[in-house]
Amino acid sequence: MKMKRFAKKFVCMALTASLMAMPLSGCGDSDSGSGSDKAVLRVGMECAYAPFNWTQVGDDVPDGSKAVPIYGSSDYAYGYDVMVAQKLADEMGMELEIHKVEWDSIGLSLDAKEYDCIIAGMGRTAEREASYSFTEPYYYRDNCLVVKKGSDFESVKGLSDFKGKNVTVTTQLGTGWVPLLEQIPDAVKGANYETTAEVFMAISNGVADVALIDLPTAESALLTNTDLTIIIPDASDAFEGDKEMTNVCIATRKDDTELRDKLQKAMDDIGWNDKAKMDELMNDAVKLQPAAN
């Protein structure tokens, strides 16, 4: 009987020692099952905002590159954000892990430490800077208007041309474009949408007359939505205060300045402050996106 108790006690002690010897994993320092000893850069994005980021079924990309698996999913993510995130992860010697999240909860999920940073076409606004830390821009974008081709608004040159027309306007929820809609004269506020795809559909279906969005996303949409057209308002008759939405930056939690600085150093080390490089990569992203996006 004593021998049995001794044997049982020995097994328990061995199991405890084994568990204590196992490496502990935490935020940003595990391999998340990748089989690699590298630390992991966990990035949150919509995976539904082409050409910045999108979801695809396989990992194949037309230029021979490979899309990145979406954490907890059988799908893959690619696009400008993914390409930049991969460059930075490689520079920092880290594995890249993509987390797909709805735009309206992207900040909440970062706060909940579901991932470590947001690389998702996010504009650096004063309101967001109160809650998050930001790198310098990893992309500079222009804003534009999208209307239905053949509509009365196709010939618009500036915002003042909308005066008296009572156009119904729309954009994406939770973005810095929402308050800018108020600058369109006599505009009627329509519904705003969770995804940019829904925004463009609203214009195509006549639910809204004018959408405010960024130029790369609009150009991307026009590849498959041939019933839409882009308007870039004259500089003298355009939106005021929209510069915040042109600075696309990486966000970390407010107190995680260590990661922010590490990301910024990686950007500096690979020279990712060159607008020509940014535009070239964005042009590639537009060309590489699947037709479904």
Side-chain angles (χ1 to χ4, degrees), residues 59 67-77 96-99:
D59 65 350
V68 177
I70 295 174
Y71 181 80
S73 166
S74 60
D75 291 328
Y76 294 79
L96 176 61
E97 185 175 281
I98 300 297
H99 289 248

Side-chain angles (χ1 to χ4, degrees), residues 23-193:
L24 297 176
S25 63
C27 176
D29 63 2
S30 73
D31 63 8
S32 296
S34 66
S36 170
D37 292 330
K38 293 182 178 179
V40 177
L41 178 64
R42 303 183 306 159
V43 178
M45 62 180 66
E46 285 177 276
C47 301
Y49 179 35
F52 285 91
N53 53 73
W54 64 75
T55 300
Q56 57 183 64
V57 175
D59 65 350
D60 289 334
V61 179
D63 69 349
S65 302
K66 291 296 181 182
V68 177
I70 295 174
Y71 181 80
S73 166
S74 60
D75 291 328
Y76 294 79
Y78 207 60
Y80 183 87
D81 291 331
V82 179
M83 290 188 273
V84 171
Q86 188 67 70
K87 289 177 183 293
L88 298 180
D90 291 344
E91 178 65 23
M92 295 186 294
M94 302 176 76
E95 292 287 342
L96 176 61
E97 185 175 281
I98 300 297
H99 289 248
K100 185 174 183 176
V101 59
E102 296 291 334
W103 178 255
D104 63 358
S105 60
I106 199 165
L108 294 174
S109 297
L110 176 64
D111 292 336
K113 299 186 178 181
E114 293 181 16
Y115 38 80
D116 307 311
C117 63
I118 296 170
I119 306 180
M122 176 181 279
R124 184 181 65 199
T125 66
E127 181 179 2
R128 288 172 179 155
E129 284 188 293
S131 302
Y132 305 101
S133 291
F134 286 92
T135 64
E136 292 301 307
Y138 69 94
Y139 185 69
Y140 295 93
R141 65 184 167 202
D142 294 320
N143 298 318
C144 68
L145 300 173
V146 175
V147 300
K148 191 161 186 177
K149 189 178 291 185
S151 71
D152 295 338
F153 315 113
E154 190 175 6
S155 60
V156 163
K157 301 298 182 185
L159 298 188
S160 62
D161 292 337
F162 290 110
K163 190 171 181 59
K165 292 185 168 61
N166 303 113
V167 293
T168 300
V169 296
T170 185
T171 191
Q172 187 180 20
L173 279 168
T175 65
W177 293 308
V178 174
L180 293 179
L181 293 175
E182 297 178 2
Q183 295 183 33
I184 299 178
D186 301 321
V188 177
K189 293 181 182 178
N192 295 323
Y193 298 93

Side-chain angles (χ1 to χ4, degrees), residues 216-231:
T217 302
E219 291 175 334
S220 174
L222 263 63
L223 294 176
T224 51
N225 296 272
T226 56
D227 61 333
L228 303 179
T229 191
I230 293 171
I231 296 172

Side-chain angles (χ1 to χ4, degrees), residues 2-23:
K2 289 183 178 179
M3 191 66 181
K4 286 184 179 180
R5 285 200 299 269
F6 174 80
K8 184 175 180 181
K9 182 177 181 181
F10 178 80
V11 170
C12 290
M13 290 174 65
L15 180 58
T16 301
S18 175
L19 289 172
M20 290 177 67
M22 292 177 65

